[in-house]
Amino acid sequence: MHIDFKNQKLRKIFNSREKLQKNYGKHMAQVIKRRMMILNAAPNLEDVCHLPPERRHELVGRRKGTFAVDLQHPKRLVFRPAHHPIPRKKDKGIDFKKVTAITILGVEDYH
C-alpha cells in the first residue's frame, strides 16, 4: 500500500529510527516500525488484519472515515484513505479492497 504523511515533520520522524525513538521511546518506536511494515506490505486496506495485534478498525463519531491500528495501549497509529473520492461499496461503506493508499495522521491516545 502506498503511504504518505499529513506533513513533512511527521514524515521525517517516521523515516528516522533516531527521531522515532526520541519522540516515542525505544519500545514504542519498534512497535510503530512493525505496524508500518505491515501497512506498507499490504496491497490494500482489507489485507490489514482486523484482529490483534494490529486490529485495524474504523473510528466513529467526528473521526468517521479515519482508521487506526493498535500500538501500545492506549496509543494508536491513526490514518485515513488517501483517495478522492474514497472508494465505496453499493451500501455506501468503504471498499477496503480498493483502498490502496493511506495518509498517516499521527500517533494518538484518542480515548
Side-chain angles (χ1 to χ4, degrees):
M1 188 161 21
H2 176 76
I3 298 175
D4 199 5
F5 296 87
K6 76 173 182 176
N7 59 46
Q8 261 322 84
K9 180 181 178 186
L10 194 60
R11 177 187 308 278
K12 286 180 181 179
I13 291 169
F14 273 63
N15 286 323
S16 165
R17 183 174 51 94
E18 292 80 19
K19 289 179 183 178
L20 205 55
Q21 286 182 6
K22 182 180 177 187
N23 282 272
Y24 300 108
K26 186 176 182 178
H27 177 71
M28 180 68 82
Q30 292 171 340
V31 175
I32 291 169
K33 282 290 196 187
R34 282 194 301 265
R35 296 301 181 268
M36 291 297 292
M37 285 173 34
I38 289 165
L39 290 169
N40 196 41
N44 57 56
L45 195 53
E46 183 170 88
D47 288 341
V48 177
C49 189
H50 66 281
L51 301 172
E54 293 85 41
R55 199 176 71 89
R56 179 233 341 127
H57 52 286
E58 185 173 5
L59 304 181
V60 296
R62 66 179 179 85
R63 293 178 168 265
K64 187 164 181 59
T66 60
F67 293 82
V69 291
D70 291 352
L71 295 172
Q72 181 181 8
H73 186 74
K75 300 290 188 178
R76 306 291 188 259
L77 179 62
V78 181
F79 58 93
R80 68 174 174 245
H83 296 273
H84 302 287
I86 293 174
R88 300 276 178 187
K89 296 188 242 180
K90 288 182 182 182
D91 68 1
K92 306 289 187 210
I94 295 175
D95 189 343
F96 297 143
K97 283 184 180 181
K98 292 183 180 175
V99 175
T100 58
I102 60 172
T103 300
I104 302 293
L105 302 176
V107 173
E108 300 180 34
D109 171 7
Y110 48 73
H111 298 98

